[in-house]
Amino acid sequence: MNPYLDIKEEVKAALAEGKPVVALESTILSHGMPYPENVDFAHRVEKLVRDEGAVPATCAIVGGRLKVGLEEQELQLMCEAKDVGKVSRRDVPVYCALGKNGATTVASTMILAAMAGIRVFATGGIGGVHRGGEDSMDISADLQELAHTPVTVVCAGAKQILDIGRTLEYLETMGVPVIGHNTDDFPAFYCRKSGFGVDYNAKTEAEIAKIIKAQRDLGFSGGILVGNPVPEEYGLDNAYMEGIIDVALKAADEAGVHGKNITPFLLAKVKELTGGESFETNVMLALNNARCASRIAVALEKL
Ligand code: PSU
Ligand code: MN
């Protein structure tokens, strides 16, 4: 019915049989991790979802086609990231019309997942209100998407490159439930705590699945945000990360970077300043989110 949508056979079959499916994004591969380490990560995360009893559906735009579930060569294309743009909601029609390759962000992955009928999606960190966003108006389209599109996003919170307090205020205004998975504190990606609370602390994935079902039964539109803290042993120190982020923000300011390039710029700078340590944390938190999302998807299919 959707002339631009290609759902991978394995994903299509799972959806038809009512089996759990978990969407995964491609910006984390193309613009968030180095090649070829991202290939290894892409394989690991898909395997983990399968081991949990769900089917992985990595999303991307390949040659203008909206792909839900990638074949191996498409995954490689995203990881090599040659001539692969970063695609948020506003870019989707352009990429479809022009037949371009694009890696999907949280916002556009939610769009593709919803088109296919997938309700749970695992990512690393979401976009949000940038620091100084009250002047620049730089607010990620991820937040609007959470307000409108019926997909639950499991993340490790938001990086301190963002204004986490204002990000949560914005989500409250837009009516997005923010659920902590075994935490009272919204996580800050590398760090387990941001200092800002969640609306509700859900102790189990089954409880989160019940909330998703209630949201749908009530006829509410929009998604749910689940904050799942990085495992204790991989969490980085808050004060240390604040220092790193100050340096990265200063560098962005001096380089005059803004708009869609600021997030990738800050992420690259943070990576450069923290070395390999932050990369391992990034991988471990993303795998942890895929595990949580898979368990939610499995529980949801049982309701
Ligand atoms: N935050 C991260 N890692 C990421 C991103 C954000 O810690 O890879 C990516 C995600 O794909 C997210 C996007 O959806 O950046 C947000 O970009 P923007 O702020 O331009 O909307
Ligand atoms: Mn932005």
Side-chain angles (χ1 to χ4, degrees):
M1 265 182 290
N2 182 325
Y4 296 98
L5 184 64
D6 290 336
I7 306 174
K8 192 181 173 186
E9 273 317 314
E10 182 195 13
V11 175
K12 206 184 275 178
L15 289 168
E17 292 164 32
K19 285 191 184 147
V21 178
V22 173
L24 301 165
E25 65 154 301
S26 44
T27 290
I28 193 174
L29 303 175
S30 302
H31 304 290
M33 289 183 181
Y35 179 83
E37 286 88 341
N38 52 5
V39 178
D40 181 52
F41 168 76
H43 290 154
R44 268 176 93 181
V45 71
E46 289 205 351
K47 179 176 187 303
L48 187 148
V49 171
R50 287 203 174 86
D51 289 348
E52 290 289 336
V55 172
T58 304
C59 296
I61 303 187
V62 179
R65 306 290 306 169
L66 306 178
K67 298 282 177 184
V68 175
L70 299 184
E71 302 295 346
E72 182 57 32
Q73 77 275 15
E74 295 166 339
L75 207 64
Q76 292 287 340
L77 183 80
M78 285 301 127
C79 290
E80 284 170 27
K82 289 188 193 112
D83 203 24
V84 173
K86 175 182 158 194
V87 172
S88 193
R89 171 177 273 273
R90 67 166 181 185
D91 308 294
V92 174
V94 178
Y95 275 65
C96 286
L98 305 183
K100 287 157 73 83
N101 297 328
T104 51
T105 62
V106 168
S108 51
T109 303
M110 286 179 77
I111 294 170
L112 268 60
M115 282 174 175
I118 300 169
R119 291 145 70 197
V120 187
F121 159 30
T123 183
I126 58 157
V129 180
H130 279 262
R131 295 195 190 194
E134 63 273 31
D135 290 323
S136 68
M137 291 180 68
D138 190 344
I139 301 170
S140 174
D142 292 355
L143 302 187
Q144 285 285 338
E145 210 58 54
L146 279 161
H148 300 302
T149 303
V151 174
T152 293
V153 178
V154 181
C155 70
K159 280 205 182 89
Q160 288 128 311
I161 58 170
L162 302 173
D163 184 331
I164 297 180
R166 284 192 172 88
T167 299
L168 293 170
E169 288 293 347
Y170 192 92
L171 289 167
E172 180 182 356
T173 301
M174 301 306 292
V176 178
V178 178
I179 312 291
H181 178 228
N182 265 314
T183 181
D184 291 320
D185 221 271
F186 189 69
F189 200 83
Y190 296 118
C191 310
R192 288 177 56 84
K193 293 183 177 199
S194 66
F196 296 93
V198 292
D199 302 332
Y200 182 68
N201 179 349
K203 299 283 188 269
T204 63
E205 285 89 353
E207 212 173 311
I208 298 169
K210 274 191 202 163
I211 297 168
I212 297 171
K213 181 173 186 296
Q215 185 193 44
R216 197 173 51 164
D217 291 347
L218 287 164
F220 281 22
S221 59
I224 291 173
L225 186 62
V226 177
N228 187 39
V230 60
E232 197 96 52
E233 60 272 38
Y234 299 105
L236 302 183
D237 181 65
N238 235 305
Y240 165 71
M241 278 318 298
E242 279 292 341
I244 296 280
I245 279 153
D246 278 346
V247 176
L249 287 167
K250 226 165 267 153
D253 195 43
E254 280 163 12
V257 185
H258 58 269
K260 72 188 285 179
N261 295 325
I262 188 120
T263 298
F265 180 92
L266 291 172
L267 297 180
K269 205 74 200 165
V270 168
K271 207 179 302 161
E272 178 191 315
L273 294 167
T274 56
E277 196 183 14
S278 73
F279 181 68
E280 194 192 7
T281 299
N282 196 347
V283 167
M284 297 318 290
L285 68 85
L287 293 174
N288 191 48
N289 294 341
R291 183 177 305 109
C292 178
S294 301
R295 291 178 183 176
I296 293 170
V298 168
L300 192 58
E301 291 308 332
K302 285 186 188 146
L303 292 177

